Amino acid sequence: MAASSGKEWRPHGCIVSAERDNRAPRNFFREEEAQIIPLGDMSLFVSILDHGGFSAAAKALGLTPSAVSKAVTRLEQRLGVRLLERTTRRIAPTPEGAAYAESLRRILDDLDKAEAAVVEGRGRP
């Protein structure tokens, strides 16, 4: 189906949901910029902070540490800012990373609430 602007029609959101700490990748299409907003990468970033590191987040999510690291690298490249300070012993969010994580937590919580409301209302006409 084509939109009146001549652009290919795409849904604004395509969400695959899983448990809060085992969130499956989510992506949203941002038409004005013709790009996918990587909610899966964003969820992984928050999980890294919540679990205290790449390996712990990877284990909790059933992913490899490499996949988790690549997700953060993609985010940092897309945003043009370093989100995490990495050493061999620990990771810590940069000031930008901490602010970003705070915003992401609110966004991801709002998505969870929206999905719960839809599921809750499913049985009603």
Side-chain angles (χ1 to χ4, degrees), residues 24-63:
R26 299 177 180 206
N27 291 312
F28 281 94
F29 180 73
R30 190 184 304 171
E31 189 171 330
E32 65 275 6
E33 295 179 16
Q35 70 178 10
I36 297 292
I37 302 170
L39 291 177
D41 291 352
M42 294 172 185
S43 295
L44 287 175
F45 174 66
V46 172
S47 292
I48 290 165
L49 296 176
D50 290 347
H51 289 94
F54 290 88
S55 294
K59 185 175 181 179
L61 298 170
L63 300 171

Side-chain angles (χ1 to χ4, degrees):
M1 170 187 284
S4 60
S5 66
K7 294 181 183 176
E8 179 182 337
W9 179 85
R10 296 185 187 198
H12 287 281
C14 179
I15 300 173
V16 178
S17 183
E19 294 297 320
R20 175 73 174 108
D21 289 332
N22 295 317
R23 189 178 306 254
R26 299 177 180 206
N27 291 312
F28 281 94
F29 180 73
R30 190 184 304 171
E31 189 171 330
E32 65 275 6
E33 295 179 16
Q35 70 178 10
I36 297 292
I37 302 170
L39 291 177
D41 291 352
M42 294 172 185
S43 295
L44 287 175
F45 174 66
V46 172
S47 292
I48 290 165
L49 296 176
D50 290 347
H51 289 94
F54 290 88
S55 294
K59 185 175 181 179
L61 298 170
L63 300 171
T64 64
S66 174
V68 173
S69 177
K70 287 177 184 178
V72 173
T73 299
R74 282 190 301 269
L75 277 178
E76 289 177 331
Q77 288 175 346
R78 189 173 69 77
L79 297 170
V81 66
R82 192 159 191 82
L83 298 172
L84 296 171
E85 292 294 335
R86 302 162 178 90
T87 69
T88 56
R89 300 206 178 261
R90 67 180 201 99
I91 58 118
T94 62
E96 296 86 358
Y100 189 56
E102 184 179 324
S103 293
L104 288 178
R105 283 188 175 97
R106 283 192 306 270
I107 291 165
L108 294 170
D109 285 342
D110 285 348
L111 284 172
D112 286 342
K113 289 174 188 173
E115 288 178 351
V118 168
V119 170
E120 185 179 302
R122 199 183 302 172
R124 298 183 202 142

